[in-house]
Amino acid sequence: MNSLENIIGDLCKIILPIQEESYIGNTDSSISICTLSSMELLKKISNSELLNHISIVGRLLSENKGIDSMIKYLNQNKKIKTIIVCGKEVYGHKAGHSLFELHKNGIDNCGRIINSVSPNPFLTVTKSEINYFQKEINLINLIDETNLVTIKNFII
């Protein structure tokens, strides 16, 4: 990232602070849910009985720091084996798309997610952390799905 992008990013954090949000459910569950940018869906799931059947639900807003955080979390919480990726993509960032491309293709020698169409898909996690993600985690593609009943059918 160049210095202008860093400055703009820092300015956005001040003007439009985005709180990281995730909700812990049943830590014995091997299933987690990523709602991408769908905050209303995240709140619905966190306040439903579905939380009793999943390990964690959270959002993913960026193709870089957000995916880095997710990969690190998965490497520290090895019980999770499935991620249901649902909700609406963040316009312009396509974090969900990048997550699936990372799972399929990994990163190049510069840390860039191979075949990502996101504007800044550079990760700082290690290749071994990514290998774990690729080999041990099953992704279910429900991008653009916001219907709680439909999502629930993949879990219960």
Side-chain angles (χ1 to χ4, degrees), residues 114-127:
I114 298 169
N115 291 337
S116 171
V117 298
S118 299
N120 197 23
F122 292 91
L123 302 180
T124 62
V125 289
T126 66
K127 286 198 176 193

Side-chain angles (χ1 to χ4, degrees), residues 37-130:
S37 71
S38 297
M39 291 304 299
E40 186 175 320
L41 179 59
L42 177 64
K43 295 291 185 190
K44 281 183 188 176
I45 292 170
S46 71
N47 291 316
S48 75
E49 51 86 25
L50 195 53
L51 201 56
N52 297 323
H53 300 278
I54 61 172
S55 177
I56 188 171
V57 60
R59 61 189 189 175
L60 178 62
L61 301 177
S62 73
E63 72 276 13
N64 41 50
K65 291 179 184 177
I67 292 177
D68 270 338
S69 294
M70 180 184 280
I71 299 302
K72 286 181 184 299
Y73 185 86
L74 292 169
N75 274 265
Q76 294 168 356
N77 295 276
K78 305 243 186 218
K79 283 188 180 181
I80 297 173
K81 296 297 178 189
T82 301
I83 303 171
I84 297 171
V85 183
C86 55
K88 299 292 181 185
E89 281 275 27
V90 176
Y91 180 77
H93 286 275
K94 301 284 188 189
H97 161 78
S98 286
L99 185 67
F100 279 92
E101 290 302 317
L102 175 65
H103 194 264
K104 181 179 175 184
N105 303 307
I107 58 172
D108 65 17
N109 289 332
C110 296
R112 186 184 195 289
I113 300 171
I114 298 169
N115 291 337
S116 171
V117 298
S118 299
N120 197 23
F122 292 91
L123 302 180
T124 62
V125 289
T126 66
K127 286 198 176 193
S128 67
E129 289 172 312
I130 292 168

